[in-house]
Amino acid sequence: MKFREFSDLDSVARLKELAEKPCDLTKPGIIDSGRIERYVVTTAGFDFLFATQRIDDEVLDNLQNLADEAGLVDKFLAMKGGGFLNRIEGVESENRRVLHTACRDIFSSTPLDLEATSQATEQLSRLRLFLEDIEKGSIVNHRGETFTTIIQVGIGGSDLGPRALYLALKRYQLPGRSARFISNVDPDDAAQVLANVDLSRTLINVVSKSGTTLETLTNEHLVLSALDRAGLDSSRHLIAVTGAGSPMDDPGKYLASFHMFDYIGGRYSATSMVGGVTLGFALGYDAFVEILQGAHAIDVAAEEKNIRNNIPLLMALLGVWNRNFLRHGTVAVLPYSQALERFPAHLQQCDMESNGKSVSRNGQQVGYRTGPIVWGEPGTNGQHAFYQLLHQGTTVVPAEFIGFRHSQYERDITVQNTTSQEKLLANMLAQSLALAQGKQHDNPNKRFAGNRPNTVLISDRLDPFTMGGLLALYENKIVFQGFCWNINSFDQEGVQLGKVLANTLLGQLGAVNQGEPGPLDRESAEYVLLNRAGCLKMS
Amino acid sequence: MKFREFSDLDSVARLKELAEKPCDLTKPGIIDSGRIERYVVTTAGFDFLFATQRIDDEVLDNLQNLADEAGLVDKFLAMKGGGFLNRIEGVESENRRVLHTACRDIFSSTPLDLEATSQATEQLSRLRLFLEDIEKGSIVNHRGETFTTIIQVGIGGSDLGPRALYLALKRYQLPGRSARFISNVDPDDAAQVLANVDLSRTLINVVSKSGTTLETLTNEHLVLSALDRAGLDSSRHLIAVTGAGSPMDDPGKYLASFHMFDYIGGRYSATSMVGGVTLGFALGYDAFVEILQGAHAIDVAAEEKNIRNNIPLLMALLGVWNRNFLRHGTVAVLPYSQALERFPAHLQQCDMESNGKSVSRNGQQVGYRTGPIVWGEPGTNGQHAFYQLLHQGTTVVPAEFIGFRHSQYERDITVQNTTSQEKLLANMLAQSLALAQGKQHDNPNKRFAGNRPNTVLISDRLDPFTMGGLLALYENKIVFQGFCWNINSFDQEGVQLGKVLANTLLGQLGAVNQGEPGPLDRESAEYVLLNRAGCLKMS
């Protein structure tokens, strides 16, 4: 497999030329019926509309060349097949396989990595049995009552994806079941959650791949002491999801233990047991399987080499066009669905932790931009908040709209001949057009420059299958972009320095709490900072 | 009052030169005890540490010159005194006063605008009486029971600020009281909230300054029909906050009505009745007054002309340094407090709707960057999500840390000699240093470039007084930046085009629902888009 620097590709040079005169979306009549019909891809229940990007057929052809030249689909297939793609050549790196897709490839008649899919199937069977035991009352609390609540204790990848999916699909939760999440080392996070549940009927699901995450272990302690105060036996309440062989892999301590494997990165782990246990408990086993099936449908669709037929690949390339050629630094993800309120936060991790890198797979400092800043909030709320800047600010923000034709609850009302759901969608489509076309006006303050690139992704209804597909669309988009920029999207060395420094500061605080002087020189930046921030006199 | 373009100021030219060689924070020993002690401002319970910005005394002196030359404090005083600062010269504009500070200036012995402060005082007295009536049981439901819940129905400025403050201060809510919020026109938003409250004991607080906000009126309808289905008399449940004289200003329809005035913009309205009614109900009248007092303390501190003694002014100028001179397009707001989970979303509106502008107060297209993209999530969660990009990405993101020495619930646990709160703060300070200093390493993938500018704002505890101060710090920062860029931070013309287009699309959908052809040409972009998105066959 060849790993060439992005800047060395022939198509990149050509795209640079084309970017000097990108399509002008404000030209009257340019966004016509022909363009709208031509620039649509339909896959696995999703329609992807991209007529409001600053591209034309020539740009698309060259983005196709870029995809081919960089071997994006081949690399994706290599990844799914168990290739060692978490790796940087010539230096020490994690050197692992990347197989989150195996959690979904279990539905394939010819799975690409037999070992990983059989491990996924085994964990899934264990989850099914565990959930059946809860259902039929063989797993109960000390009073013989069923469990109603699950608290997932985890952070980062062990929190954001499962939380975003749970909130997105809360509509479908089983009667009498719900989930809560504790992530932050801020003790108020746990206090707030624990103050609002009946602990006696709550399962505590501690999730840490490494089994050593500071926040998670501290919060496990906090929850254990709350169980203790409530006179509850923790062994009846505690379950674990962790890497096989991690310090937390201790079945004696937990009512049940589930495994994840070193070939699944935290930010790609929502469809492994990291998401499965909590989602399965709250939404039911079948709903979790539907999520996996939806993701699988997209994983298969992502193998298509023609960018005009492959939504995640096209999303990736349009993103590269906006980032590297039109030079936009951020992407706004704007779901017109309140249920997706935390999906942008999940994408912040999945995208920015994957592609916020400066070193190529060849161990070279890259000479081009990599992953953008990803942010966003649900519409229509955002329209009343930050859209002012999107329309009239001095910085152009590419936008990715996400919408659904039907609501989840079907509790709608017709006002002035249209339903709320219709108002929601009309607003989304109107924003897409307004950002692209702009508007002239005599009053400069009422002028809209337009040429704000955006896309619309639309599907029927946000249900478990569709949510799985949406998750996989973005996971695969991010992976394609990482291959394109020739970076390793699967490690996260950038989080290490902060950890090391935090431990230094904690060593000082811990020593002071013990009445000892502590390791830090009193003239050092670390000591003075702690002191000046007032942290040394806290206790 | 002189309104000069930012690019015409002498200090701007000088700062441009200085920005060619900004302070190198990675130089060994540069962030020493002297620098840390020198670059701190302490005001009204806040310590603001800025040694980790790429500045030196010469840059600071020139930022002071910029503040003086642009007359930032004079303009702020003119605003507080009732000047017509919501205005653009030579073209049609809103031409209004800007007096959100009057809601707090009521504590001053010499209020700067007597009319506005007396209106604020009057509304506050009416709120006190209303809350007393609820407390003593003269306002009850049809069964004579007290109200336990309030649902605020509003969007944008009538939602984000009050919601962020409520979540931040939930710890202090009165026993048996709570608040919920419905904002999105997505019908699932209301359905989800209504499915989880006892409507018979719920007050519905409909908030819209104009009294015409589509989302809010639609959601009011939805809530009314839910009350109706539950057999409840809406006149016992419905209250309103709206502009005097708006279509919603109809005391006959509402159990109680409160006013806001045209001199308070939505995004600056959290300390008016827009926040007061819900926060007063949930947290108590006294807590709301403490919020106002905290904000007042900062409003007074913001009058200081020396940037080294004025936190919001210095925050504004450091932001301008990063935006216009070091050319960074975004700002990450990173509160190390889970309670502040929605504060960044509020700031997105307050900042980006205020300063996402391209036309100066003189009606000219600006030739310089204005407001940045504001985003962020609480730490330590973010550390396990997007901090990879902050440390090793190809785009530099200035960061604003916010922390507190004590937790709200005081439910902490000591693990390895330190409490969770200490771990939280140690992580925040470690990140500040790590971003600034960076680190060399033989392995390029373990290298940290450093020179990522950031600041740390720290206070004792997130209580109502401190929350009011924090809110006002950012409001005033944003206003100072708007004056600096010579833009009108108080209008929002950029939201109009989307509204107009949405109404066009809704006209078509409404007609189709009535069995009529509708106004749109079938070849028009609007019609084809609606059709291709599958919206015309929804019903």
Side-chain angles (χ1 to χ4, degrees):
Chain A
M1 186 142 302
K2 276 208 294 203
F3 291 107
R4 292 174 59 197
E5 308 299 18
F6 175 75
S7 46
D8 292 346
L9 303 174
D10 294 340
S11 46
V12 166
R14 179 68 189 126
L15 284 161
K16 242 182 219 166
E17 292 166 17
L18 292 171
E20 281 166 28
K21 250 190 129 171
C23 172
D24 181 1
L25 300 171
T26 69
K27 223 161 77 180
I30 181 102
I31 302 178
D32 64 2
S33 60
R35 182 178 171 94
I36 292 170
E37 293 289 357
R38 199 161 68 248
Y39 292 155
V40 179
V41 188
T42 298
T43 303
F46 290 93
D47 291 313
F48 181 68
L49 287 72
F50 61 103
T52 43
Q53 288 285 343
R54 302 194 67 184
I55 49 110
D56 55 22
D57 287 342
E58 193 176 3
V59 171
L60 274 183
D61 290 343
N62 280 281
L63 290 174
Q64 178 74 61
N65 293 346
L66 175 56
D68 297 339
E69 213 182 343
L72 300 187
V73 172
D74 291 339
K75 284 171 184 156
F76 179 68
L77 283 167
M79 181 190 89
K80 283 176 85 172
F84 281 71
L85 282 155
N86 177 357
R87 176 179 168 84
I88 293 179
E89 299 301 318
V91 301
E92 189 209 330
S93 70
E94 294 191 325
N95 204 25
R96 292 181 187 156
R97 300 175 300 151
V98 179
L99 280 167
H100 51 278
T101 47
C103 299
R104 294 92 78 135
D105 209 25
I106 55 172
F107 303 110
S108 169
S109 53
T110 53
L112 290 170
D113 188 287
L114 278 175
E115 187 197 354
T117 45
S118 79
Q119 285 175 321
T121 305
E122 189 203 332
Q123 294 300 316
L124 204 56
S125 305
R126 299 188 53 235
L127 176 64
R128 186 172 49 76
L129 294 175
F130 175 71
L131 294 173
E132 279 172 10
D133 281 348
I134 291 175
E135 185 61 37
K136 65 184 188 219
S138 24
I139 295 180
V140 287
N141 75 1
H142 66 293
R143 289 196 297 260
E145 296 163 328
T146 54
F147 289 102
T148 57
T149 307
I150 193 164
I151 299 178
Q152 178 146 346
V153 180
I155 194 166
S158 300
D159 171 56
L160 290 164
R163 192 195 291 248
L165 265 61
Y166 171 66
L167 292 173
L169 299 173
K170 213 170 167 183
R171 167 70 180 106
Y172 303 92
Q173 78 192 359
L174 297 175
R177 295 270 179 93
S178 71
R180 305 293 300 270
F181 295 83
I182 297 174
S183 52
N184 204 322
V185 75
D186 178 352
D188 288 338
D189 190 16
Q192 227 269 104
V193 171
L194 294 173
N196 289 292
V197 296
D198 174 1
L199 262 186
S200 74
R201 302 188 66 179
T202 297
L203 288 170
I204 311 296
N205 179 22
V206 186
V207 185
S208 168
K209 184 180 166 186
S210 67
T212 61
T213 314
L214 167 86
E215 285 87 344
T216 303
L217 297 187
T218 305
N219 279 322
E220 185 185 29
H221 272 285
L222 256 175
V223 174
L224 283 175
S225 75
L227 286 168
D228 203 44
R229 273 199 308 277
L232 297 165
D233 172 4
S234 66
S235 69
R236 279 185 168 276
H237 294 265
L238 221 52
I239 56 183
V241 180
T242 191
S246 93
M248 256 176 64
D249 191 10
D250 175 7
K253 183 175 166 191
Y254 299 95
L255 172 66
S257 288
F258 298 90
H259 280 164
M260 61 183 301
F261 302 93
D262 75 350
Y263 51 70
I264 300 185
R267 56 193 173 272
Y268 296 99
S269 68
T271 54
S272 76
M273 286 302 109
V274 169
V277 176
T278 290
L279 296 172
F281 175 86
L283 312 176
Y285 178 79
D286 293 347
F288 182 61
V289 170
E290 286 167 30
I291 293 172
L292 300 183
Q293 287 168 331
H296 179 59
I298 293 295
D299 289 344
V300 171
E303 296 179 6
E304 162 68 46
K305 290 205 174 180
N306 183 344
I307 65 168
R308 287 171 170 89
N309 293 329
N310 183 335
I311 300 179
L313 182 58
L314 182 56
M315 284 171 78
L317 290 158
L318 292 171
V320 168
W321 171 249
N322 286 324
R323 174 71 168 145
N324 298 90
F325 300 99
L326 303 187
R327 308 192 71 70
H328 302 311
T330 80
V331 175
V333 177
L334 306 169
Y336 274 61
S337 159
Q338 194 58 31
L340 289 176
E341 56 181 321
R342 295 304 287 162
F343 190 57
H346 167 62
L347 292 184
Q348 280 182 331
Q349 171 175 40
C350 200
D351 197 323
M352 295 168 72
E353 191 164 80
S354 293
N355 292 339
K357 307 278 166 72
S358 298
V359 170
S360 79
R361 286 186 169 276
N362 302 319
Q364 302 300 310
Q365 200 69 28
V366 299
Y368 43 86
R369 310 274 174 102
T370 60
I373 288 138
V374 179
W375 61 283
E377 288 285 333
T380 57
N381 290 4
Q383 292 179 202
H384 296 259
F386 52 79
Y387 278 38
Q388 164 68 41
L389 184 146
L390 301 190
H391 286 287
Q392 292 190 318
T394 52
T395 296
V396 171
V397 178
E400 298 184 354
F401 294 99
I402 302 170
F404 305 92
R405 293 181 195 99
H406 301 280
S407 68
Q408 291 183 317
Y409 285 84
E410 300 271 6
R411 288 250 166 166
D412 209 331
I413 195 165
T414 297
V415 176
Q416 293 174 358
N417 301 328
T418 56
T419 64
S420 291
Q421 189 66 24
E422 287 175 323
K423 290 185 181 75
L424 185 63
L425 283 171
N427 271 279
M428 178 179 75
L429 298 174
Q431 291 295 334
S432 168
L433 272 185
L435 286 167
Q437 293 178 321
K439 194 167 183 63
Q440 282 306 308
H441 200 288
D442 287 343
N443 183 338
N445 199 38
K446 294 177 190 286
R447 209 170 282 157
F448 292 77
N451 274 326
R452 265 67 173 162
N454 66 83
T455 54
V456 173
L457 181 70
I458 191 163
S459 185
D460 263 355
R461 191 190 310 270
L462 184 60
D463 56 21
F465 185 89
T466 304
M467 184 65 240
L470 183 62
L471 179 76
L473 276 177
Y474 272 93
E475 284 181 358
N476 295 337
K477 170 201 169 186
I478 291 163
V479 163
F480 282 131
Q481 289 190 332
F483 288 142
C484 196
W485 289 317
N486 198 32
I487 53 179
N488 179 5
S489 303
F490 310 111
D491 67 357
Q492 53 281 324
E493 290 293 342
V495 307
Q496 295 306 324
L497 177 58
K499 272 192 203 171
V500 172
L501 273 173
N503 284 334
T504 306
L505 299 187
L506 283 170
Q508 180 67 36
L509 287 173
V512 168
N513 290 344
Q514 299 284 92
E516 292 160 16
L520 288 177
D521 180 333
R522 303 210 157 200
E523 281 298 305
S524 69
E526 290 83 356
Y527 185 90
V528 177
L529 193 61
L530 272 178
N531 190 41
R532 195 57 196 78
C535 298
L536 290 175
K537 40 185 178 190
M538 277 166 55
S539 313
Chain B
M1 188 144 300
K2 276 208 293 202
F3 291 106
R4 292 173 60 195
E5 307 299 19
F6 175 74
S7 46
D8 293 345
L9 303 175
D10 295 338
S11 44
V12 166
R14 179 66 189 128
L15 284 161
K16 243 182 217 163
E17 291 167 17
L18 292 171
E20 283 166 27
K21 250 190 127 170
C23 172
D24 181 0
L25 300 171
T26 68
K27 222 162 78 182
I30 181 103
I31 303 179
D32 63 1
S33 59
R35 184 176 169 95
I36 291 170
E37 293 288 357
R38 200 161 67 246
Y39 292 155
V40 179
V41 188
T42 299
T43 302
F46 290 93
D47 290 312
F48 181 68
L49 286 72
F50 61 103
T52 43
Q53 289 285 343
R54 302 194 67 185
I55 50 110
D56 54 22
D57 287 342
E58 194 177 1
V59 171
L60 274 184
D61 290 343
N62 281 281
L63 290 173
Q64 178 74 62
N65 293 345
L66 174 56
D68 297 339
E69 214 183 340
L72 300 187
V73 172
D74 291 339
K75 285 171 183 155
F76 179 68
L77 283 168
M79 180 190 89
K80 283 176 87 173
F84 282 70
L85 283 156
N86 177 356
R87 175 180 170 82
I88 293 179
E89 298 302 317
V91 301
E92 188 209 329
S93 70
E94 294 190 325
N95 204 25
R96 290 181 189 156
R97 300 176 299 152
V98 179
L99 280 166
H100 51 279
T101 48
C103 299
R104 295 91 77 135
D105 209 25
I106 55 172
F107 303 110
S108 168
S109 53
T110 53
L112 290 171
D113 188 289
L114 277 176
E115 188 197 354
T117 44
S118 78
Q119 285 175 321
T121 305
E122 190 201 332
Q123 294 299 317
L124 204 55
S125 305
R126 298 187 53 233
L127 176 63
R128 185 171 50 76
L129 294 174
F130 175 71
L131 294 173
E132 280 172 9
D133 280 349
I134 292 175
E135 185 62 36
K136 65 184 186 216
S138 25
I139 296 181
V140 287
N141 76 1
H142 67 293
R143 290 196 296 260
E145 296 162 329
T146 53
F147 289 101
T148 58
T149 307
I150 193 165
I151 299 179
Q152 177 145 345
V153 180
I155 194 166
S158 300
D159 171 56
L160 291 163
R163 192 193 291 248
L165 266 59
Y166 171 66
L167 292 173
L169 299 174
K170 213 170 167 183
R171 167 70 181 106
Y172 302 94
Q173 79 191 358
L174 297 176
R177 295 271 178 92
S178 70
R180 304 295 298 269
F181 296 83
I182 297 174
S183 53
N184 204 321
V185 76
D186 178 352
D188 288 337
D189 190 16
Q192 227 269 104
V193 171
L194 294 173
N196 289 290
V197 295
D198 174 1
L199 263 186
S200 74
R201 302 188 66 180
T202 298
L203 288 170
I204 312 296
N205 179 23
V206 186
V207 185
S208 168
K209 183 179 165 186
S210 68
T212 63
T213 313
L214 168 85
E215 285 87 344
T216 303
L217 297 186
T218 306
N219 279 322
E220 185 185 28
H221 272 286
L222 256 175
V223 174
L224 283 174
S225 77
L227 286 168
D228 203 44
R229 275 199 308 277
L232 298 166
D233 172 4
S234 67
S235 69
R236 279 185 168 278
H237 293 265
L238 221 51
I239 55 182
V241 180
T242 191
S246 94
M248 255 175 63
D249 190 10
D250 175 7
K253 183 176 167 193
Y254 300 96
L255 172 66
S257 288
F258 299 90
H259 280 162
M260 61 184 302
F261 303 92
D262 76 349
Y263 51 71
I264 299 184
R267 56 195 175 273
Y268 296 98
S269 68
T271 54
S272 76
M273 286 302 108
V274 168
V277 176
T278 291
L279 295 171
F281 175 85
L283 313 176
Y285 177 80
D286 293 346
F288 182 63
V289 170
E290 285 167 30
I291 293 172
L292 300 183
Q293 287 168 332
H296 180 60
I298 292 295
D299 289 344
V300 171
E303 296 179 8
E304 162 68 46
K305 291 205 173 177
N306 183 343
I307 65 168
R308 288 172 169 90
N309 292 328
N310 182 336
I311 299 179
L313 182 57
L314 182 56
M315 284 170 78
L317 290 157
L318 291 171
V320 168
W321 171 249
N322 286 324
R323 175 69 168 146
N324 298 89
F325 300 100
L326 304 186
R327 307 191 72 70
H328 303 311
T330 81
V331 175
V333 177
L334 306 170
Y336 274 60
S337 159
Q338 193 60 28
L340 288 176
E341 57 181 320
R342 295 304 286 162
F343 190 57
H346 167 61
L347 292 184
Q348 280 183 331
Q349 170 174 42
C350 200
D351 197 323
M352 295 168 72
E353 191 164 81
S354 294
N355 292 338
K357 307 279 166 73
S358 298
V359 171
S360 78
R361 287 187 169 274
N362 302 320
Q364 302 300 311
Q365 200 69 28
V366 298
Y368 42 87
R369 310 274 174 100
T370 60
I373 288 138
V374 178
W375 61 285
E377 288 284 332
T380 56
N381 290 4
Q383 291 177 204
H384 294 260
F386 51 79
Y387 278 39
Q388 164 68 40
L389 184 145
L390 301 191
H391 285 288
Q392 292 189 318
T394 53
T395 296
V396 171
V397 179
E400 299 184 353
F401 295 100
I402 302 170
F404 304 93
R405 293 180 195 101
H406 301 280
S407 69
Q408 292 182 317
Y409 285 83
E410 299 273 5
R411 288 250 166 164
D412 209 331
I413 196 167
T414 297
V415 176
Q416 292 172 359
N417 302 326
T418 57
T419 64
S420 291
Q421 190 65 25
E422 286 175 324
K423 291 184 180 75
L424 185 64
L425 283 172
N427 271 280
M428 177 178 77
L429 298 174
Q431 292 294 335
S432 167
L433 271 185
L435 287 166
Q437 292 177 322
K439 194 166 183 63
Q440 283 306 307
H441 200 288
D442 287 344
N443 183 337
N445 200 38
K446 294 177 190 286
R447 209 170 282 158
F448 293 78
N451 275 326
R452 265 69 173 163
N454 66 83
T455 53
V456 173
L457 182 70
I458 191 162
S459 186
D460 262 355
R461 190 189 311 270
L462 184 60
D463 57 20
F465 184 88
T466 304
M467 184 66 240
L470 183 62
L471 180 77
L473 276 177
Y474 272 93
E475 284 181 358
N476 296 337
K477 170 201 170 185
I478 291 162
V479 164
F480 281 132
Q481 289 190 331
F483 288 141
C484 197
W485 289 318
N486 199 32
I487 54 179
N488 179 5
S489 303
F490 310 110
D491 67 357
Q492 54 280 322
E493 290 294 341
V495 307
Q496 295 307 321
L497 178 57
K499 272 192 204 171
V500 172
L501 273 173
N503 283 334
T504 305
L505 299 186
L506 283 171
Q508 180 67 37
L509 288 173
V512 169
N513 290 344
Q514 299 284 91
E516 292 159 14
L520 287 177
D521 180 336
R522 302 212 156 197
E523 280 298 306
S524 69
E526 290 83 356
Y527 184 89
V528 176
L529 193 60
L530 272 178
N531 191 40
R532 194 58 195 76
C535 296
L536 289 176
K537 38 185 180 189
M538 276 167 53
S539 312

